[in-house]
Amino acid sequence: MRRRGSGSRRTSKKPPSPSPSEGEMTSQHNAEGGNKIQSPSDNGSLTEISQDAVGKLLRRANKVGTSKKKTTVGLCNFPFLFNILFSSARTVEFVPEQNGTQVLEPIGPLNTSEVEHCSRSSIGKDPAEEKCGHVSLDEGYMDKKDELDDSDWEDGTVAMDDHSVTIELNVTPDSSELAELVHKAHLLCLLARGRLIDSACDDPLIQASLLSLLPAHLLQLSNVTKLTSKALRPLMSWFHDNFHVKNYTNGEKEPHFALASALELRVGGPEEIAALSVALFRALNLTARFVSILDVSPLKPDQSFRPIASGSSKGIFNTSTPMVSKKKLDFMSLKKPLSCEKEKLCETSLAHSLKSKKRIAPSNMDQSKDPSVAEDLNHSVTNFPISEAQHINPESHITDKSHKPKRKGDLEFEMQLEMALSVTAIGSSKIKEESGENADSSSFACPSKRIKRVVGEGSSTSPQLISTAVGSRRVGSPLYWAEVYCSEESLTGKWVHIDAVNLIIDGEDKVEAMVAACKASLRYVVAFAGQGAKDVTRRYCMKWYKIASQRVNSTWWDSVLAPLRNLESGATGGVVHSRTNQIISTEANMNDSFVPTRSSLEDIELETRALTEPLPTNQQAYKNHPLYALEKWLTRYQILHPKGPILGFCSGHPVYPRTCVQTVMTKQRWLREGLQVKPNEHPAKELKRPNKPQKVQDIEADDYDCTTDSKEHINLYGKWQVEPLNLPHAVNGIVPKNDRGQVDVWSEKCLPPGTVHLRFPRAYEVAKRLEIDSAPAMVGFEFKNGRAYPVHEGIVVCAQFKDVLLEAFAEEAERLKEEEKKRDEAQALRRWYQLLSSIVTRQRLNNRYNNNWTSEVPNDVHCINDNVSRATVCDSNDKNQTPRQHQTDKRDTDLDTSLSIPVKDHEHVFLKEYESFDMETSLLTKRCQCGFSVQVEEL
DNA sequence: CTGGACAACAGACCTTTGTGAAGA
DNA sequence: ATCTTCACTTTGGTCTGTTGTCCA
């Protein structure tokens, strides 16, 4: 089945729960299912921001849609945006039992996995790569779409291939705006997604299940008061032995349920495994965060968006393409001896709580045994058995420094093989698509692909190999990990990076290299805890200048994160968990004096990182670098002052701190800032004046050579060369004016002391009438026809006249209003007179030249007030002002005469009973007892 | 293959204070 | 003679960011 356009989409049935419209989104959602938002400040603002962004997006897309341009990129995502945001709020008070039922619904409300998938995989990709594969995805889309303007969706091309959606992306001329909106909305989605996972990590059931699996000696970690990263290694070894990353999806399951499934099967996607590690830490009363790279669609258009996420990371997210084939799983399982003990344990612990009927073959289960765990207690990560590690997790060998390759070819082949197995479903499907052959065979058949090794220089561990097939799609990129707060890790404690997927502990400085090796960038790294979030990109990104331009406007991002940061710091800052015995009370309730909190210490740490970024190696990076500058890349109006210190060199050019870069301006520009150049200051910089055709000025310049120099150069001055503007004071009510008899009011700062700027209209006339000295205020220039025209607005007067003038203006305004009213009334009278005169004239002419005038009288007689039951037709002054009248039943042959006879001493009375109304002509005929009648057109 | 340097290009920015003829 | 209105003509050079190409 292949559906295209909205026509066919309309036929799809709606999901059970109606989707709220844009405007009602928040309220409806909150009402639905009784789910409340925990923190109004949090979700309120977040939702508002989300709504705003999504609303803009919709409007923008609708606009583009109506202009017959394909902008499917935004359209596809809108419905998901709604849903993801709902999901975000929905999870705050999450009850596992309820969700179990939700998840089991065959087609429920669009869940976030679809959103995630689509947003990760759909945006900005080539049509051929666009596979968003979920039926409910399309249905959710349909549902929302129906509530929106149908017509605006016609241009989006969504073709369905069985269970997949093809999205075509065409770049529109104003796509930058759209790209930014999509970027923002996508960010919000991923934020919400992170909160979902974080919420799942707090699930007591999952935590309890994890604890039940944990060997007794590892349980002691919960009593450790002085935690170091080293102490976590046995735990991570055990975890890594027992939980495996697979190209496996938990389908459409809601995160809590997906986590539970992964826990039960001990196999899951990277996100699930990382989340389980977080849950485990939290179960052990450790302060832990779930950290995720928000792999968001590009901020700028025309940048292809290839999600970092490999298919393996989409465990929770459903994907369009089938996940790793059964064959692959079997292949993996064949390598791994099984241990069913854990599985049984797992089953018993979860069987009652989880209704999952899915069970992966036991072959996917654990292959490690308890004894090995015991042995590994004091084992470092790098001593992990090579073969086992490789088999357990293809990526785990990355961290293995002691691994000795047999032969280069063999190693490459093995790596390729394992990568192929661990690669995402999308990856495998892409291989199929691109090579047109079996994914397995394609990956196996290319052992000659070069292996790139990225050596990460770790602080705690030895250099690690990060491997990826060069030229192939990105695989193994870390997307999710945990951060555990280790109080003994440094003087003040430290958040320690723990990547359970790749078995890396305290490898924060390796993340960037690993991500870079996968041809990705970490633009946003966000840590989630306590339903909140905090941007910790600085911790992992050493080359901030590379990502700064790819990040959204920091003001917006900070405002989005502000409420989430509070939640996050509330959860991790001081008292960690209410159920914990390990109270780390570094927070406010210590005493009144300032106590540095974890959050504030981390802020300082991140800020320090921002200020100690290493010098870039390429010159262009200095162009807009926030910390460093090369003189070469300064702009026309920039200068180094002071010129030093030199922080280093780049390609022979000295590197200066950015703080030395000062902006220089002309005297005129400083004037606008309310500043003037100090006397006897030499220009800090001279610019060559552009060679404009000077016309007459050239001739003058020839005559006065002494002025040529200043004409040819623009003198620029720095901030240190200026002082506050010293304008002449207003004296004796006289406004100091310039040589043009006006005051240049670039800003309020430019007003001479003792004067005010009055902007009301006709101010000049009012001041003139009161004989108050004033000067026109020139507020700027308008450029028309290649010339500058001064723009005047209001006047400048001495401050003491302000009130007088304002009063006068008020009186003037009142007077003008009165005059205008009188003028209007006079004009109305004139027009009435004109109208009635013309009517009478017309009647007279008709009477004189056309005896059958009555039949031809147009029905254009308008009675202004048709509710009036009386009409006075006598007018002693002007008989011609009688309303147009005609007698139908008693016609005088000489109407002119009849009209000329004043109807004195009689006032026509039109009684209701004598009225008649002609429906056809809408004419109401009123009759007086005297026989006089008036026709009135009903308005 | 990658990154740096450079050129080309497009868009943004800055510019910065009437006059003469015709008609009322 | 004086005042008011209207047409005139639609810059253009430089900076800056982006993109493509070449080369080490």
Side-chain angles (χ1 to χ4, degrees):
Chain A
M1 183 179 74
R2 187 172 181 86
R3 289 195 284 174
R4 187 170 277 269
S6 64
S8 57
R9 292 197 298 260
R10 285 196 193 96
T11 59
S12 51
K13 59 184 174 183
K14 291 189 177 186
S17 66
S19 309
S21 64
E22 182 185 353
E24 303 164 337
M25 187 168 72
T26 314
S27 59
Q28 279 204 13
H29 165 65
N30 289 343
E32 180 192 350
N35 292 316
K36 289 185 297 181
I37 292 173
Q38 201 171 36
S39 164
S41 65
D42 160 25
N43 288 295
S45 59
L46 180 64
T47 311
E48 278 169 24
I49 292 163
S50 312
Q51 275 183 307
D52 186 37
V54 174
K56 273 187 187 171
L57 194 57
L58 280 170
R59 286 192 292 276
R60 184 81 206 94
N62 285 346
K63 210 160 77 183
V64 176
T66 49
S67 64
K68 304 294 173 195
K69 289 164 189 166
K70 289 181 184 176
T71 54
T72 328
V73 56
L75 307 184
C76 168
N77 291 281
F78 302 147
F80 313 130
L81 302 187
F82 290 118
N83 278 291
I84 192 83
L85 293 170
F86 301 156
S87 305
S88 159
R90 190 184 299 151
T91 56
V92 176
E93 290 190 357
F94 182 77
V95 184
E97 287 77 8
Q98 292 173 352
N99 286 281
T101 57
Q102 280 181 6
V103 172
L104 291 174
E105 285 175 11
I107 299 176
L110 187 67
N111 73 27
T112 51
S113 62
E114 295 145 6
V115 182
E116 173 65 24
H117 167 67
C118 212
S119 54
R120 280 195 188 283
S121 63
S122 308
I123 301 173
K125 294 176 72 178
D126 294 331
E129 292 177 24
E130 296 302 325
K131 290 277 176 183
C132 252
H134 212 268
V135 179
S136 59
L137 175 151
D138 192 49
E139 285 164 352
Y141 169 58
M142 285 307 305
D143 181 41
K144 298 292 180 187
K145 189 201 74 62
D146 287 345
E147 293 177 23
L148 298 165
D149 185 1
D150 279 8
S151 61
D152 288 337
W153 295 81
E154 294 291 334
D155 294 322
T157 305
V158 176
M160 286 206 64
D161 222 353
D162 202 7
H163 284 192
S164 67
V165 176
T166 304
I167 296 167
E168 294 176 10
L169 299 169
N170 282 13
V171 177
T172 57
D174 49 358
S175 54
S176 61
E177 194 188 358
L178 188 63
E180 188 186 337
L181 290 171
V182 171
H183 181 88
K184 285 179 176 177
H186 196 185
L187 264 180
L188 295 175
C189 290
L190 296 179
L191 264 184
R193 174 70 189 171
R195 298 178 70 201
L196 271 177
I197 304 300
D198 175 54
S199 164
C201 295
D202 277 336
D203 191 327
L205 203 59
I206 290 171
Q207 291 185 3
S209 302
L210 278 164
L211 282 182
S212 72
L213 297 175
L214 204 61
H217 59 273
L218 289 175
L219 279 169
Q220 291 168 359
L221 264 176
S222 62
N223 298 321
V224 172
T225 51
K226 295 182 175 179
L227 187 67
T228 60
S229 60
K230 201 174 178 181
L232 292 169
R233 287 195 175 150
L235 180 70
M236 288 321 296
S237 294
W238 172 85
F239 185 83
H240 196 258
D241 286 346
N242 286 272
F243 292 92
H244 307 130
V245 181
K246 286 286 167 62
N247 306 318
Y248 163 76
T249 176
N250 272 321
E252 303 154 35
K253 286 172 186 165
E254 194 279 336
H256 286 69
F257 203 72
L259 273 199
S261 268
L263 173 57
E264 183 187 5
L265 304 170
R266 298 196 214 172
V267 173
E271 186 183 40
E272 292 157 352
I273 296 302
L276 279 178
S277 71
V278 174
L280 177 61
F281 294 135
R282 289 181 182 172
L284 289 167
N285 295 333
L286 307 178
T287 309
R289 292 159 159 175
F290 174 73
V291 183
S292 171
I293 293 178
L294 306 188
D295 190 21
V296 70
S297 70
L299 183 61
K300 287 161 192 164
D302 303 329
Q303 291 175 357
S304 63
F305 174 55
R306 292 194 297 169
I308 300 171
S310 55
S312 59
S313 68
K314 298 197 183 301
I316 292 171
F317 310 134
N318 188 26
T319 61
S320 60
T321 48
M323 286 312 223
V324 71
S325 64
K326 192 87 176 176
K327 184 182 165 188
K328 282 185 187 175
L329 287 173
D330 291 345
F331 180 86
M332 290 297 287
S333 66
L334 285 175
K335 289 182 163 185
K336 296 166 187 171
L338 309 173
S339 166
C340 294
E341 297 164 26
K342 293 283 178 184
E343 185 198 356
K344 284 172 187 168
L345 188 62
C346 177
E347 276 179 17
T348 52
S349 63
L350 286 169
H352 300 297
S353 59
L354 303 175
K355 306 290 181 194
S356 172
K357 287 151 194 149
K358 258 188 198 173
R359 177 69 42 85
I360 274 204
S363 60
N364 290 320
M365 306 301 279
D366 190 10
Q367 78 284 5
S368 69
K369 298 179 176 64
D370 278 347
S372 69
V373 174
E375 285 170 16
D376 282 339
L377 263 176
N378 295 317
H379 232 228
S380 79
V381 176
T382 50
N383 291 332
F384 201 78
I386 295 164
S387 58
E388 191 180 358
Q390 282 182 337
H391 288 309
I392 290 166
N393 181 0
E395 291 157 353
S396 65
H397 70 275
I398 288 166
T399 65
D400 188 358
K401 67 173 178 184
S402 63
H403 175 64
K404 289 183 180 176
K406 307 155 200 170
R407 289 183 307 168
K408 193 182 174 186
D410 292 342
L411 171 69
E412 287 179 358
F413 177 75
E414 275 182 23
M415 292 169 91
Q416 288 289 337
L417 178 62
E418 286 162 356
M419 272 182 232
L421 292 168
S422 66
V423 99
T424 72
I426 282 186
S428 56
S429 69
K430 275 190 210 160
I431 291 168
K432 282 182 193 173
E433 287 168 14
E434 290 169 10
S435 63
E437 56 186 303
N438 187 302
D440 292 347
S441 65
S442 71
S443 33
F444 296 164
C446 306
S448 59
K449 274 187 183 174
R450 283 208 283 149
I451 303 299
K452 186 186 180 188
R453 294 179 200 174
V454 178
V455 180
E457 293 166 352
S459 57
S460 60
T461 56
S462 57
Q464 297 171 350
L465 284 177
I466 301 150
S467 61
T468 183
V470 174
S472 69
R473 55 207 47 76
R474 293 170 288 180
V475 293
S477 175
L479 261 183
Y480 315 101
W481 59 89
E483 274 183 355
V484 176
Y485 189 79
C486 295
S487 54
E488 293 299 304
E489 202 48 53
S490 69
L491 281 176
T492 55
K494 183 189 167 190
W495 284 100
V496 174
H497 157 270
I498 295 180
D499 184 349
V501 175
N502 297 306
L503 191 53
I504 301 173
I505 298 174
D506 199 12
E508 63 189 36
D509 46 355
K510 299 177 191 68
V511 173
E512 188 172 39
M514 289 176 72
V515 171
C518 297
K519 297 178 186 174
S521 69
L522 27 93
R523 290 166 292 173
Y524 303 93
V525 183
V526 178
F528 296 91
Q531 286 299 301
K534 183 173 187 176
D535 189 328
V536 292
T537 314
R538 282 282 188 191
R539 176 171 293 132
Y540 298 96
C541 180
M542 305 300 148
K543 294 177 180 173
W544 185 264
Y545 67 89
K546 279 193 173 177
I547 62 156
S549 62
Q550 298 170 34
R551 282 166 63 99
V552 75
N553 164 16
S554 63
T555 311
W556 181 86
W557 181 232
D558 290 344
S559 69
V560 167
L561 282 184
L564 298 177
R565 278 193 59 158
N566 292 337
L567 285 175
E568 195 278 335
S569 64
T572 61
V575 181
V576 185
H577 292 289
S578 58
R579 60 183 179 276
T580 183
N581 295 324
Q582 176 196 359
I583 304 297
I584 306 166
S585 184
T586 58
E587 285 288 347
N589 46 0
M590 288 284 283
N591 50 42
D592 290 342
S593 65
F594 170 73
V595 177
T597 63
R598 279 179 195 162
S599 183
S600 63
L601 286 173
E602 187 184 31
D603 288 344
I604 293 168
E605 180 208 334
L606 297 178
E607 198 61 36
T608 308
R609 281 174 180 272
L611 297 172
T612 55
E613 205 173 311
L615 297 180
T617 52
N618 62 325
Q619 288 186 41
Q620 291 195 338
Y622 289 90
K623 223 173 172 181
N624 286 313
H625 200 287
L627 297 175
Y628 311 115
L630 289 187
E631 193 168 15
K632 180 183 177 181
W633 291 105
L634 295 184
T635 66
R636 200 170 139 93
Y637 293 96
Q638 285 178 332
I639 192 175
L640 286 170
H641 181 85
K643 199 169 179 177
I646 295 171
L647 302 176
F649 289 89
C650 176
S651 308
H653 301 281
V655 177
Y656 299 95
R658 177 62 64 173
T659 50
C660 294
V661 176
Q662 302 274 352
T663 303
V664 289
M665 293 194 279
T666 60
K667 283 183 179 178
Q668 184 69 26
R669 299 286 294 183
W670 282 119
L671 205 63
R672 292 191 197 187
E673 304 289 326
L675 299 165
Q676 66 181 22
V677 176
K678 291 176 193 167
N680 303 323
E681 285 286 348
H682 291 288
K685 191 174 183 178
E686 286 185 352
L687 292 178
K688 203 177 174 185
R689 192 178 284 277
N691 296 322
K692 266 192 174 180
Q694 294 288 312
K695 297 177 191 171
V696 186
Q697 289 175 17
D698 284 343
I699 302 161
E700 288 174 356
D702 290 340
D703 296 340
Y704 308 101
D705 274 349
C706 56
T707 61
T708 309
D709 192 53
S710 64
K711 291 266 179 197
E712 282 183 354
H713 290 96
I714 301 169
N715 295 332
L716 302 171
Y717 301 88
K719 199 176 180 179
W720 65 97
Q721 294 178 299
V722 296
E723 59 187 5
L725 198 54
N726 186 21
L727 290 169
H729 283 252
V731 181
N732 298 330
I734 305 297
V735 178
K737 306 172 188 71
N738 64 11
D739 51 357
R740 297 179 187 277
Q742 63 190 25
V743 177
D744 294 350
V745 189
W746 300 104
S747 72
E748 292 297 316
K749 293 174 191 167
C750 299
L751 282 173
T755 64
V756 289
H757 182 202
L758 301 177
R759 291 171 180 269
F760 56 81
R762 295 182 309 281
Y764 187 76
E765 287 79 5
V766 175
K768 197 175 176 183
R769 186 162 54 82
L770 297 174
E771 295 180 342
I772 292 171
D773 184 64
S774 67
M778 200 277 287
V779 295
F781 289 97
E782 187 183 3
F783 289 90
K784 280 194 301 191
N785 308 332
R787 288 175 47 197
Y789 297 92
V791 176
H792 294 94
E793 189 178 325
I795 57 169
V796 175
V797 293
C798 291
Q800 62 262 35
F801 299 127
K802 183 185 173 186
D803 293 337
V804 178
L805 278 167
L806 286 175
E807 277 176 29
F809 172 70
E811 285 172 15
E812 177 92 354
E814 191 66 29
R815 190 176 58 80
L816 285 173
K817 202 176 166 186
E818 283 295 319
E819 278 181 8
E820 193 178 2
K821 194 181 170 189
K822 282 179 185 171
R823 201 168 52 244
D824 287 348
E825 285 174 354
Q827 192 175 29
L829 276 175
R830 270 200 312 278
R831 286 177 176 170
W832 267 113
Y833 178 79
Q834 197 174 7
L835 172 68
L836 296 172
S837 299
S838 65
I839 290 169
V840 171
T841 307
R842 189 172 187 168
Q843 283 178 326
R844 188 180 295 128
L845 290 170
N846 274 328
N847 186 50
R848 180 164 296 168
Y849 299 110
N850 183 9
N851 285 337
N852 296 327
W853 65 276
T854 48
S855 60
E856 294 174 12
V857 163
N859 295 328
D860 58 353
V861 180
H862 295 267
C863 182
I864 300 305
N865 186 359
D866 60 357
N867 290 326
V868 177
S869 57
R870 295 185 329 170
T872 305
V873 290
C874 64
D875 189 331
S876 54
N877 297 328
D878 189 351
K879 60 180 179 280
N880 291 335
Q881 286 191 14
T882 307
R884 178 174 174 171
Q885 50 194 284
H886 56 97
Q887 298 174 344
T888 50
D889 47 355
K890 182 187 174 184
R891 273 185 286 164
D892 290 342
T893 50
D894 191 351
L895 244 176
D896 202 16
T897 313
S898 76
L899 278 168
S900 65
I901 298 168
V903 195
K904 283 182 179 174
D905 302 329
H906 173 69
E907 200 172 64
H908 296 300
V909 176
F910 302 103
L911 298 171
K912 282 273 177 189
E913 48 265 40
Y914 297 129
E915 282 182 5
S916 66
F917 182 70
D918 185 355
M919 296 288 281
E920 208 165 297
T921 59
S922 297
L923 284 177
L924 178 69
T925 308
K926 299 183 173 190
R927 297 183 181 83
C928 178
Q929 281 184 318
C930 70
F932 181 80
S933 71
V934 174
Q935 275 195 332
V936 179
E937 187 177 354
E938 287 280 342
L939 295 176

